[in-house]
Amino acid sequence: MEVAMVCTRVNLLLLILSLCSPYKFIQSPMDFGPLNLLPTTTEASSDFGRILFHSPSAVLKPQSPRDISLLLSFLSASSLSKVTVAARGAGHSIHGQAQALDGIVVDMCSLPSQIEFYRGGEGDISYADVSGGAMWIELLEQSLKLGLAPRSWTDYLYITIGGTLSNAGISGQAFKHGPQISNVLQLEVVTAGRGETVTCSPTKDAELFNAVLGGLGQFGIITRARILLQEAPLKVKWTRAFYDDFGTFTKDQELLVSMPDLVDYVEGFIVMNKQSLHGTSIAFPANMGFNPDFGTKSSPKIYYCIEFAVHDYQHKNTNVDQVVEAISMQMSHIGSHLYSVEVSYFDFLNRVRMEEMSLRSSGLWEVHHPWLNMFVPKAGISDLRDLLMDNISPDNFEGLILIYPLLRDKWGTNTSAVLPDSGSTDQVMYVVGILRSANPEEGCSHDCLQELLRRHRHIADTAGARLGAKQYLAHHPTPAGWHQHFGPRWERFADRKVRFDPLSILGPGQGIFAKGNKNVVYAS
């Protein structure tokens, strides 16, 4: 055993020397003891955004958390190393956050998707222990066999557990149960400081636990998570209501999130044009008679849609049709333009997959996605809407603009996630997502893409300066931008980096810390 470990360390030293050399020696799969290292791949140097393409020197395909631990322990102990490491799940980042230029990308999907369940008795909690590289769709499929499911979701399920927990993980359930990072009981994390595998929770190694949740991959690699589960409903009553006034739209959304005992899901979006109406209707299995007048290019008409859902457990003494009717009677949507449909719980949660399949069949999935996501204080949401309309042309917009409320008290204050300052006691804030596509084959080449990115940067900067908005899934091109993003939380974030990743090995694609920066400079 000792001889094997010595050989492994010698091989890793050779790896580091090769990666630090201007010449790339890894041209084919190499056996570094137990580590399965491959040459770079197109997948490892790209992501869903298709904006940045940073090629690593090698890709690690771990077969267990020990492989990750071995790599990080050696890199952290080597004074010669300039190598950085990025954990990559399903590659759903936008701006190269999971890339590692000339470094090593750890393919988390190579980890076995082990899922173990614990079903509590009456009054006890149920949970699942799941690999950090497993996808949420896998957890959903397996948990439903037991009549259970996680409480909080993302809209798209073909992304990894570790990936969303490194950000926050939000969808229409977040107003009720908080983001996914608020529904984690325990983590297994490989730290970069010593390459140790640490089991942490709110009561054990709590500082690491809180740092990693929403930590943008800066403090450790999540290899396992304990996810809180609840009883899964059999069906869902899925309802959409349309509006022609933004103030009424947001007022009704806030009404819905004030009724967590009745409502289980709330989202909303702007209906910019016929394309956005059609694109958001693909997964909604009902014939909607909403065919509005969108006006002209010089005088466009904008509409809004709320969608909410009520769970149907069927064995409980509740009539969901009556619940939806009682809720809708309190709403102020356009008359006769409320539509409801009953679907299975699985189909509801997996609704974006149908839209993905439609886009793939049209060749519109693997295109540029210059997305921008923000958290906006309630007081600034009307001004944010005006800012969007000043910078987005409704007639040629392709994609979706999400707008829906969240509640601050469902978010922990010790995690690394960043929310906007409220400036008041108001618990409501909004998530706004500009989820647009830019297809080179339809004329949006390099200059067009750069113009869209410039506009989104202008929106983000203006919303931040004037409204106190904060980016979610943030991208900042300079360290100063990151300092401003974290604001008063920057010092704590930097302290955690020094403690858990003092050589700044992890998460180079975020651009927050320079490699090997032992003396982090705080913002003044």
Side-chain angles (χ1 to χ4, degrees), residues 148-432:
L148 299 170
R151 306 193 309 172
S152 188
W153 293 95
T154 53
D155 288 334
Y156 185 61
L157 304 183
Y158 292 78
I159 49 181
T160 61
I161 306 290
T164 65
L165 296 183
S166 296
N167 290 281
I170 56 173
S171 184
Q173 304 86 3
F175 83 93
K176 184 170 184 172
H177 299 295
Q180 290 178 324
I181 59 173
S182 295
N183 292 271
V184 182
L185 303 174
Q186 180 177 288
L187 295 172
E188 179 186 271
V189 178
V190 180
T191 65
R194 298 182 188 176
E196 295 177 318
T197 301
V198 180
T199 299
C200 54
S201 71
T203 58
K204 181 179 181 293
D205 289 306
E207 185 67 15
L208 177 62
F209 179 80
N210 288 315
V212 169
L213 292 173
L216 307 177
Q218 296 299 303
F219 310 111
I221 295 178
I222 298 172
T223 53
R224 201 158 185 81
R226 179 167 290 177
I227 307 297
L228 186 63
L229 303 178
Q230 65 175 359
E231 179 186 0
L234 293 176
K235 294 185 178 296
V236 169
K237 196 71 171 182
W238 184 7
T239 301
R240 286 186 171 180
F242 289 90
Y243 297 77
D244 56 9
D245 178 75
F246 186 74
T248 307
F249 164 72
T250 56
K251 183 179 179 180
D252 273 5
Q253 284 192 316
E254 291 171 21
L255 169 70
L256 290 172
V257 300
S258 73
M259 299 188 287
D261 292 337
L262 297 177
V263 181
D264 295 291
Y265 164 98
V266 177
E267 287 196 10
F269 53 90
I270 300 179
V271 184
M272 301 282 283
N273 50 40
K274 290 183 179 179
Q275 185 275 335
S276 69
L277 179 61
H278 171 72
T280 56
S281 303
I282 293 172
F284 190 74
N287 293 321
M288 295 188 297
F290 186 64
N291 296 297
D293 174 18
F294 286 100
T296 63
K297 184 175 181 178
S298 60
S299 182
K301 293 183 179 180
I302 306 299
Y303 300 88
Y304 311 92
C305 178
I306 289 177
E307 62 176 23
F308 70 93
V310 177
H311 290 172
D312 185 358
Y313 293 91
Q314 297 196 338
H315 63 81
K316 296 185 177 181
N317 189 25
T318 301
N319 185 313
V320 293
D321 291 329
Q322 292 178 357
V323 172
V324 170
E325 182 178 2
I327 293 170
S328 62
M329 288 180 65
Q330 302 179 57
M331 300 170 66
S332 302
H333 55 84
I334 299 174
S336 75
H337 288 300
L338 183 140
Y339 308 90
S340 292
V341 64
E342 187 176 68
V343 296
S344 73
Y345 185 55
F346 177 85
D347 286 345
F348 174 71
L349 291 177
N350 199 35
R351 60 195 178 279
V352 178
R353 182 66 163 181
M354 187 178 297
E355 297 173 9
E356 176 194 349
M357 292 297 100
S358 174
L359 291 171
R360 284 188 182 276
S361 66
S362 303
L364 298 176
W365 183 256
E366 295 182 352
V367 297
H368 304 304
H369 296 100
W371 289 8
L372 172 63
N373 294 275
M374 295 177 290
F375 294 133
V376 182
K378 174 184 173 180
I381 193 61
S382 292
D383 289 339
L384 190 281
R385 182 266 181 201
D386 294 341
L387 178 62
L388 293 179
M389 295 303 101
D390 287 342
N391 289 274
I392 295 174
S393 176
D395 67 300
N396 61 9
F397 180 84
E398 292 189 16
L400 175 68
I401 299 181
L402 290 173
I403 298 183
Y404 60 91
L406 306 170
L407 300 180
R408 292 173 180 277
D409 60 1
K410 299 299 182 179
W411 295 65
T413 58
N414 292 321
T415 70
S416 294
V418 175
L419 302 180
D421 295 328
S422 64
S424 69
T425 58
D426 201 323
Q427 290 296 317
V428 175
M429 63 178 181
Y430 279 81
V431 58
V432 177

Side-chain angles (χ1 to χ4, degrees), residues 95 372 451-463 471 474-477 481:
H95 293 281
L372 172 63
E451 174 60 19
L452 293 179
L453 292 170
R454 187 198 65 77
R455 290 188 184 184
H456 286 188
R457 172 56 57 187
H458 171 71
I459 292 171
D461 290 345
T462 304
Q471 285 190 53
H475 169 66
H476 296 285

Side-chain angles (χ1 to χ4, degrees), residues 64-106:
S64 72
R66 183 177 178 276
D67 291 353
I68 302 172
S69 175
L70 184 60
L71 175 66
L72 293 183
S73 65
F74 194 82
L75 293 178
S76 64
S78 173
S79 60
L80 298 175
S81 177
K82 298 180 181 179
V83 179
T84 56
V85 174
R88 184 186 192 276
H92 208 68
S93 300
I94 300 301
H95 293 281
Q97 288 95 331
Q99 296 175 22
L101 178 63
D102 294 333
I104 299 174
V105 167
V106 180

